[in-house]
Every structure is written in C-alpha cells, then in structure tokens.
Amino acid sequence: MTPQKHTNHDQHTHDHHGIFGEKTELYFAILSGLFFFIGLILKKLIAAPEWTYLTSYLLAYFFGGFYTTIEAYEKIKKGEFEIDFLMIAAAIGAAYIGSWGEGALLLFLFSLGHALESYAMSRAKKSIEALGSLSPKTALVKKGQELIEVPVEKLQLHDIIVVKPNAKISADGVIINGHSSINQASITGESIPVDKTAIKNSSNLPNFDEIDKQHVVYTGTINGDNAIEVLVLKLNEDSTISRLIQMVSEAETQKSPTQLQTKKFEKWFVPIVIFLVVVLCFAHLVIDETINESLYRAISVLIAASPCALAISTPSAVLSGIACAAKNGVLIKGGRALEDLGSLTTIAFDKTGTLTEGKPKLTNAIPLNDFDEKQFLKVVVEVESLSNHPLARAISKDIKTTYSIETNNEASDIQAIQGKGIKAIYKNEWVYIGNTRLMLDNGIAVTSHVETTMKELLENGHTVMLVAYQAQLIGLLSVMDVPRATAKDTLQKLKDIGIKKMIMLTGDHQNVGDSIARQIGLTEAKGNLLPEDKVKAIQQLKQRDAKVAMIGDGVNDAPAMANSTVGVAMGAAGSDVALETADVALMSDKIDKLPFVIGLSRKSKYIIKQNLWISLGVVAFLVPITIMGLTNIGSAVAIHEGSTLLVVLNALRLLRFKV
C-alpha cells in the first residue's frame, strides 16, 4: 500500500466501477465478510457437512480476493512484489494447509481495510473536487440586446456575461457594469462578502493579475443582490478554480519527507519478510513439528509482518491535511510543504501588500501659523484632485472621506516640479505642495519648529509634504502605507504558537520598516532591499535558522520565495505567478490565515507520527509472538488489519481541523 499504489489503486476502482458503482469494492468486502461468517456458523455451530461451509468460504475468498488479486497482478507485471502479493500468498497458503476459515477472514479484513482506505482517500479527494462543482455549468452571454445561455466551456475571451442576483459567477473576469457584494468564500476562504464595483475604462485593461481586485470576480463565487455585467478574461480551463483543482491533484503526488523514508524502509523490509517466511516453511526440518505446523506459522508471520498500516499512515494524513486547507481557502502543494511548515520558527515577510494595505493613506493634515483648518484642507483638496500622482490621489480621497470636504474645481494650471512637488493656481494665488526645497526655491521660509515636526514624522516612516499659499506656509501633510488591521493580532497569534523570529524585508526606507515593525510587533526589519537583496537576506536567515518561510504577494517576491524553505503567497486568487512559485498559497490577501496553516501543519505532523508509532508498534509486537507460535492466524489478522483501519480513521480527523 505504498503512496503510488493509491493512485493506481484509485484508477482501478474508477476504471471498473463494477456492478455496484464506485462502492463496489466496499460491497465486495462486506459480501466476503458475510460468507465468512456463514461458513463459520455452518462449521462451528451447526456442524453441517463439509461442502456447505467450504462453499461459503470459497465465496468469501472470491469476493475478498477479487480486487486484491487484480492489484497484485498489475504490480507483478511491473516486477514489484508488494503487500497485496503477500496477502494473496498468505490466503493460498492457508487454503493449502486446510485453514480455509483463517484465509477467508484474512481476505475479508484486508479487502475491508483496502476498501475503507480507498473510500477515505476519495473522501479527501472529493472535498477537493467539490471545488470544481462550485463553478456553474452555463453562463448568460449578452449579444446586442439578447441574452443567450451557453455552456461555460463555450465562453470566449471578451464575451460579456450577465450575472443575476444571488447567482454563481461562471468566469474569471472584470465587472464593466453594476456593483455588488460578492461571496468569495469558496476561493479565498473569506467569510465576509467583498464589495466590487465596475472598472471605469474597460477598453485598455492591464494584465489580469494587475487589475485592482475590487473590480475582479472569480468563477464559482456568488453574486450578491445586484445584477452585474462581467467581461470574460480567462477561459474555463484557465480559471482560478480549475488551476486550483489541477494543483491540488498534483500536490498529492509530491511525496513528503516521511513518505520517502517509509518508501525506503519498505524496499528492504518486504524482501526480508519473504525470505523469513520461506525459511520458516522449512522449520520442521530443524524442530519437532509437522510440515503443516511449519507452514501455518510461516503464513501467520507473513500476515503479521505486512506493513499495510505503515504504507498508508503518511499519505492518508497528507491528503486529509491538504483537503482541509483547500476547504479553508489555502492551497498546499504536497506533503513536503505541509510537513516543513510545522517545523518553522522563523518567518520573513514582504511589507507592501502583505503586512500593510499596499496603498498610501493620509496620516496627518496639520494647519500651521493659525491658518483655518477647514480652509487649509479645502486648498489642498482643490489642488491635489487635479493631479494623477498616487500620493495626490490618496490625499484628496482621504480628505473627502474623512473630513467630508468636496471639490468645486476652483484650482487650475497644475504643474509638476520634478523631485520637488507640484504648484497650481487657486483663487488667483499660487499654491505649492512639496518638499523643503520647493518652498525655499519660491522664497517661502521654513521655520526650525516645522523642520523638527517634519523630522519626527520622517523618522516614523511617514512621507511629509509642506503646503504654501499666498506666499506663506499654511500647513503640513503626511502619508504612509499603514499596517493591515489584522497584522498585529496575527503576529501575536504566531508568537503564541511558537514562531520566535518575524522579520520584514522591504524595498522601502529603513525608517518606514522600523516604524511598521514597532507598530505591529515584528522582531526585525530590513529596509532598502532590491529583489536580489531579499534573496540574499533569505539565504542568510537559512544559514542562521535552518528553515525559513517567506510570505509575500508572489509577484516581486517570487525569487525570495523560491529560495526559502516554504514560500507562502498571499492573495493568490487570480495570480498565476504566485500560484506557480509558492509552496503554499493563501487565496485571499488576508494574512490572518497564517496561524491556521501553521497549526494545521503541526497537527498533520503529529498525526503522521502517531500513525507511524501505531503501525510499527503493531508489527514489532506481532512478529515475535507469531514466530513463537503464541497467536493463531485469526487473531494476527484481526490485530494487523485493525491497526490499518485505526491509522486511516486517525488521519481523517484532520478534515475537521479548526484553529
């Protein structure tokens, strides 16, 4: 029951669904058990003629051995001798020495374990594939004034689809008409619907990744109470949800470190068992017992030593962990990432868009020289609303919303002065907004008191601008990329679960980094870094702390992520680069999923460990007592297969993991 075996095994069960559909294997196992018990009753309780209970045992052999034989045959064709082969050999051996009952019990329990294992695996897979069923099958395409319903596979790029209130969205695209709040839980795991609005200019769009997320919608998410029109920007097979499903199914094939070790162990363990069994068959030549007794012991040892539970202990836990994460809007690519995350104590963060909002916000608007505050803000908003600069846009937007001051388009003749700021005319007087040099160039005095205030703000990471009007200073503005509301809490939670070092890597000025680090509780901030400096920083951290996770938004952090032990991309919904380079992708751009992922990873490691102890413990206990003849085939089978079921059920606990 090695990891590859599951994939082959699943293909078999899916290839020949058999007479009972996809649960055929489970029903065959139950029938095998039924005939075993009928045989047992006929033999022990009723003392019926031999042919009656033998027929019953034979039927138990048929149903119990059907899938196991197919499996063993497929393996032997490739020259692999694995657990199925050992089981069939043991059952034939049992029949040969006349222990039909024990052989039937063995095949019944083995096939039951196998069927439940496949069932558990397909449960985990289904919760992942359920993502696929989220996307609707048809879409309403707008052709002129008409609405035509087409299958989603037939959608073309740049089709316009109409999404009715409370309907599922059937393509990744951008809203060009209408506004609505959209439930994105299926993709990003966010519990609160997100407000989305139409994009102003849909004729000249940037790349899908670069469009502001407030205009973008994803396949499978649910529209709120308003109808919207969406321009299709990704075909069905490229949509975020299809990529997710494809990546999760690839993730299963990436072996975790524990799985690789288990594989190595099995490689030498199975041949040793076969050798030991062959030797035990000839024990009657050395000790005083019949050939049948020697064969009976050899077959019991063969059963006791099969590492079934061991082979399934890791893959079942890894798959359950990945499925649980997927349901919560987190994509984990394979067992390696899942196991590594749990052993981390150091995390490096990108700043912009990861720990901060990624957008400048107005932090201070201070009138100077007794200038009236309302008048000061009015001057600023009139001038700044003429400019397209991101800082100017942020300032005018924040003044309008915070102080509810509107513009009357009273300013004109705006001019940008390279490296210094802007000037414009307001009520026939020049207004200057910019740095000290701009003021001095235009004969406006900057007092030492103002310079001290500016210096304090700069040291705390703010960008500061002076405002002059009617040839004198009237005020001071500062803007800053502010920390996310949830950042401080999240970092505290990470500290609580044992993350010792949290470091910010940013291209911004060191002062900005230090200021944000103080506000949210980071242990360290490194500023002025180019992308290649981030890579160097990660390599240094790895030398110091062995394992480091890098958390970023995936686009400019891709090289640093690729160099870290585990790369975690945020806001990966819709971003191809982030999905490709990261080992773990948080589908929403919310950092608060991090403690959940690390907690899940630790729980997975813990369950994998438990499973290894259970499976190795049972083999270590059963083999010696079977060699000494202290147990019969029946109880060896029951204990052995019981451990396999226990391991599967233990792994399934991960599906219900909550922080």
Side-chain angles (χ1 to χ4, degrees):
M1 284 188 206
T2 53
Q4 291 106 317
K5 174 151 176 180
H6 299 309
T7 43
N8 301 345
H9 177 65
D10 288 339
Q11 281 153 12
H12 291 313
T13 30
H14 292 269
D15 293 345
H16 45 69
H17 273 342
I19 46 180
F20 300 121
E22 64 178 66
K23 288 197 182 150
T24 305
E25 191 174 0
L26 194 55
Y27 291 139
F28 267 36
I30 292 166
L31 282 172
S32 169
L34 186 70
F35 285 117
F36 162 72
F37 285 115
I38 292 172
L40 197 63
I41 292 164
L42 288 171
K43 184 179 178 185
K44 300 277 189 223
L45 298 180
I46 305 176
E50 193 181 11
W51 67 268
T52 53
Y53 63 78
L54 271 184
T55 308
S56 203
Y57 283 154
L58 269 170
L59 285 166
Y61 259 69
F62 170 76
F63 286 113
F66 186 79
Y67 281 102
T68 318
T69 310
I70 291 174
E71 194 91 345
Y73 173 67
E74 293 287 333
K75 283 281 185 294
I76 292 166
K77 274 202 310 202
K78 294 186 200 145
E80 298 169 10
F81 292 90
E82 284 184 10
I83 294 155
D84 317 80
F85 169 73
L86 297 185
M87 288 297 142
I88 295 293
I92 294 169
Y96 175 74
I97 56 172
S99 301
W100 285 93
E102 281 90 342
L105 175 64
L106 168 71
L107 286 176
F108 156 52
L109 286 172
F110 183 69
S111 61
L112 182 66
H114 219 239
L116 284 174
E117 171 200 333
S118 304
Y119 180 66
M121 292 295 179
S122 68
R123 265 278 310 273
K125 281 215 181 79
K126 276 206 183 74
S127 63
I128 291 162
E129 281 161 8
L131 290 171
S133 61
L134 290 170
S135 40
K137 302 287 170 267
T138 60
L140 286 175
V141 178
K142 192 174 179 183
K143 294 267 162 81
Q145 290 306 303
E146 266 190 290
L147 287 182
I148 302 160
E149 191 167 348
V150 299
V152 287
E153 294 79 31
K154 294 271 185 339
L155 280 176
Q156 304 288 318
L157 290 177
H158 301 113
D159 273 352
I160 293 173
I161 56 173
V162 173
V163 184
K164 295 189 165 163
N166 307 317
K168 281 186 180 171
I169 294 169
S170 44
D172 284 16
V174 62
I175 301 178
I176 52 168
N177 204 341
H179 60 88
S180 191
S181 69
I182 288 174
N183 178 345
Q184 302 194 133
S186 56
I187 292 216
T188 62
E190 295 166 272
S191 46
I192 300 162
V194 183
D195 290 335
K196 303 270 183 170
T197 56
I199 196 163
K200 295 229 168 36
N201 172 11
S202 60
S203 55
N204 186 14
L205 287 173
N207 286 340
F208 187 76
D209 294 2
E210 291 160 18
I211 300 173
D212 189 331
K213 292 272 203 280
Q214 67 182 26
H215 309 308
V216 173
V217 294
Y218 304 113
T219 311
T221 54
I222 300 164
N223 186 16
D225 295 338
N226 302 323
I228 50 173
E229 290 182 14
V230 174
L231 181 71
V232 176
L233 294 181
K234 284 194 179 184
L235 296 174
N236 187 45
E237 63 271 19
D238 298 326
S239 72
T240 300
I241 212 152
S242 313
R243 295 283 307 277
L244 271 185
I245 294 159
Q246 174 202 341
M247 287 184 146
V248 172
S249 45
E250 285 168 12
E252 292 165 25
T253 60
Q254 291 190 12
K255 305 274 182 294
S256 76
T258 315
Q259 252 166 298
L260 293 170
Q261 284 168 342
T262 309
K263 196 90 196 84
K264 277 188 195 141
F265 175 74
E266 280 172 29
K267 263 206 169 61
W268 59 260
F269 186 75
V270 172
I272 288 176
V273 171
I274 294 175
F275 175 73
L276 178 67
V277 169
V278 171
V279 169
L280 285 172
C281 288
F282 298 104
H284 62 93
L285 300 176
V286 184
I287 51 177
D288 182 23
E289 63 181 12
T290 63
I291 294 180
N292 270 8
E293 283 166 347
S294 290
L295 283 176
Y296 187 89
R297 184 193 293 111
I299 288 155
S300 306
V301 169
L302 179 60
I303 294 159
S306 298
C308 302
L310 177 70
I312 188 196
S313 56
T314 315
S316 54
V318 166
L319 202 62
S320 300
I322 289 174
C324 172
K327 277 197 304 215
N328 286 283
V330 180
L331 169 66
I332 299 178
K333 293 196 205 166
R336 190 185 65 77
L338 183 69
E339 283 194 26
D340 279 345
L341 256 181
S343 53
L344 288 168
T345 55
T346 304
I347 298 181
F349 296 88
D350 166 49
K351 177 185 82 82
T352 312
T354 301
L355 292 172
T356 63
E357 296 286 354
K359 308 190 269 285
K361 279 236 178 0
L362 178 67
T363 45
N364 285 294
I366 308 166
L368 298 169
N369 306 334
D370 303 329
F371 199 85
D372 177 63
E373 183 183 43
K374 198 146 191 192
Q375 187 55 34
F376 164 60
L377 293 167
K378 179 80 176 138
V379 172
V380 173
V381 82
E382 289 289 355
V383 172
E384 293 285 31
S385 57
L386 293 178
S387 168
N388 269 333
H389 191 281
L391 291 184
R393 286 216 299 266
I395 291 168
S396 60
K397 178 175 163 247
D398 288 349
I399 289 178
K400 286 175 189 170
T401 51
T402 315
Y403 302 96
S404 46
I405 291 175
E406 281 311 312
T407 50
N408 309 330
N409 301 331
E410 293 177 61
S412 62
D413 290 341
I414 186 163
Q415 295 169 33
I417 300 149
Q418 191 59 43
K420 294 176 191 169
I422 54 170
K423 63 176 188 173
I425 290 176
Y426 173 70
K427 297 195 172 167
N428 302 322
E429 294 269 1
W430 281 107
V431 176
Y432 298 96
I433 302 178
N435 56 20
T436 319
R437 279 189 17 236
L438 179 68
M439 301 301 143
L440 298 176
D441 289 355
N442 291 285
I444 292 151
V446 179
T447 62
S448 60
H449 165 68
V450 172
E451 281 185 338
T452 316
T453 313
M454 283 177 74
K455 195 163 168 243
E456 269 174 30
L457 287 167
L458 285 167
E459 279 170 2
N460 284 315
H462 300 259
T463 303
V464 186
M465 282 154 281
L466 296 170
V467 183
Y469 176 52
Q470 294 169 327
Q472 63 150 332
L473 270 188
I474 62 165
L476 175 151
L477 302 167
S478 74
V479 292
M480 188 176 180
D481 180 9
V482 294
R484 287 176 178 275
T486 53
K488 195 171 178 176
D489 265 6
T490 304
L491 294 184
Q492 188 53 51
K493 276 185 194 144
L494 289 172
K495 240 178 223 144
D496 295 344
I497 62 172
I499 302 295
K500 294 188 181 62
K501 300 190 184 92
M502 292 180 275
I503 296 127
M504 176 164 73
L505 307 177
T506 176
D508 264 358
H509 195 279
Q510 186 69 44
N511 287 350
V512 177
D514 289 340
S515 162
I516 300 232
R518 276 198 301 277
Q519 289 176 54
I520 59 178
L522 286 161
T523 40
E524 203 180 325
K526 295 180 184 233
N528 304 319
L529 302 179
L530 296 168
E532 55 267 32
D533 299 329
K534 287 187 181 179
V535 173
K536 282 196 196 108
I538 289 287
Q539 287 165 346
Q540 285 162 4
L541 288 170
K542 267 169 77 176
Q543 280 171 356
R544 188 182 79 185
D545 302 330
K547 288 187 176 179
V548 180
M550 170 74 192
I551 323 266
D553 50 11
V555 185
N556 54 355
D557 304 313
M561 279 184 192
N563 273 281
S564 62
T565 319
V566 186
V568 181
M570 290 191 27
S575 159
D576 296 346
V577 184
L579 284 178
E580 290 302 337
T581 51
D583 305 301
V584 177
L586 311 180
M587 300 316 293
S588 72
D589 61 356
K590 295 199 169 35
I591 196 171
D592 36 5
K593 283 270 187 261
L594 263 183
F596 160 76
V597 190
I598 291 173
L600 173 69
S601 165
R602 290 184 175 175
K603 182 80 172 170
S604 307
K605 281 190 74 146
Y606 177 64
I607 282 186
I608 288 170
K609 255 199 197 109
Q610 279 182 336
N611 281 354
L612 292 176
W613 279 111
I614 294 169
S615 46
L616 289 171
V618 167
V619 171
F621 164 72
L622 268 183
V623 172
I625 64 166
T626 320
I627 290 178
M628 292 186 285
L630 300 176
T631 176
N632 62 5
I633 289 188
S635 42
V637 166
I639 296 170
H640 181 266
E641 294 306 323
S643 70
T644 306
L645 299 185
L646 188 62
V647 159
V648 173
L649 295 171
N650 193 30
L652 284 178
R653 290 191 319 169
L654 277 173
L655 285 173
R656 290 197 298 277
F657 177 79
K658 297 262 188 306
V659 163

